[in-house]
Amino acid sequence: MGFNNALRSLIIFSTLVCGTAFALEQPIVVSFADQPINKFNQKLELAQQQDRSWSQQPESISAHYAGSSFQLAKVKKYQGKVVTYNVSGASEQHPKMLLILSMEKQKNRWKLDAARLTWQCKNGLHFGTDRCSNNH
């Protein structure tokens, strides 16, 4: 068994073992789709000027961007930024979605740097932007 096969087996094994609890320690993301952030940042700036409670902490900012169909799964600090991972449940019509938001504080105000969406097809081992088939 070559190194690449051993590594692939280890990744698959760790995903299967952790998959039931969402494996957010390190989800395997192979591709993502950038999501718009400019209008949200304008809304966030206004909310911070008005001292709206949701605009003060990364967790609540993340929840506001993600919406009610997503649940905050993890918050991580990375290179001076705060990265949040929000996950939605899978259904027969939709794959499990993962929304990754990166934000930082500039001049005492939060601002999104990036919003990236990726998903996991039914019985999939990784998150990506592949088309999911509706076949069971």
Side-chain angles (χ1 to χ4, degrees), residues 59-130:
E59 296 83 355
S60 55
I61 294 168
S62 181
H64 204 82
Y65 184 97
S68 61
S69 61
F70 283 83
Q71 183 177 344
L72 183 65
K74 186 172 186 167
V75 179
K76 199 172 163 183
K77 291 185 178 170
Y78 179 72
Q79 296 182 343
K81 299 177 191 262
V82 175
V83 180
T84 62
Y85 297 82
N86 300 277
V87 67
S88 74
S91 69
E92 286 299 316
Q93 295 81 24
H94 300 286
K96 180 188 284 187
M97 309 282 275
L98 175 64
L99 179 63
I100 304 167
L101 302 177
S102 171
M103 63 189 89
E104 66 180 327
K105 212 168 197 179
Q106 299 173 342
K107 299 178 186 168
N108 261 352
R109 299 212 190 265
W110 288 102
K111 183 176 183 179
L112 282 186
D113 293 322
R116 296 179 169 132
L117 186 65
T118 186
W119 50 88
Q120 184 179 42
C121 296
K122 189 175 181 175
N123 300 324
L125 297 176
H126 63 267
F127 286 85
T129 53
D130 298 334

Side-chain angles (χ1 to χ4, degrees), residues 5-90:
N5 286 339
L7 185 60
R8 188 175 305 122
S9 296
L10 179 62
I11 290 169
I12 290 170
F13 175 74
S14 64
T15 302
L16 292 173
V17 168
C18 301
T20 55
F22 179 57
L24 244 185
E25 287 308 310
Q26 196 58 50
I28 300 169
V29 176
V30 296
S31 60
F32 54 79
D34 282 311
Q35 301 299 294
I37 59 171
N38 290 340
K39 285 188 179 182
F40 182 82
N41 274 330
Q42 291 170 357
K43 182 179 175 181
L44 176 59
E45 174 72 23
L46 182 60
Q48 289 176 108
Q49 289 172 7
Q50 297 171 345
D51 283 327
R52 299 262 172 111
S53 60
W54 70 265
S55 69
Q56 305 303 314
Q57 296 296 321
E59 296 83 355
S60 55
I61 294 168
S62 181
H64 204 82
Y65 184 97
S68 61
S69 61
F70 283 83
Q71 183 177 344
L72 183 65
K74 186 172 186 167
V75 179
K76 199 172 163 183
K77 291 185 178 170
Y78 179 72
Q79 296 182 343
K81 299 177 191 262
V82 175
V83 180
T84 62
Y85 297 82
N86 300 277
V87 67
S88 74

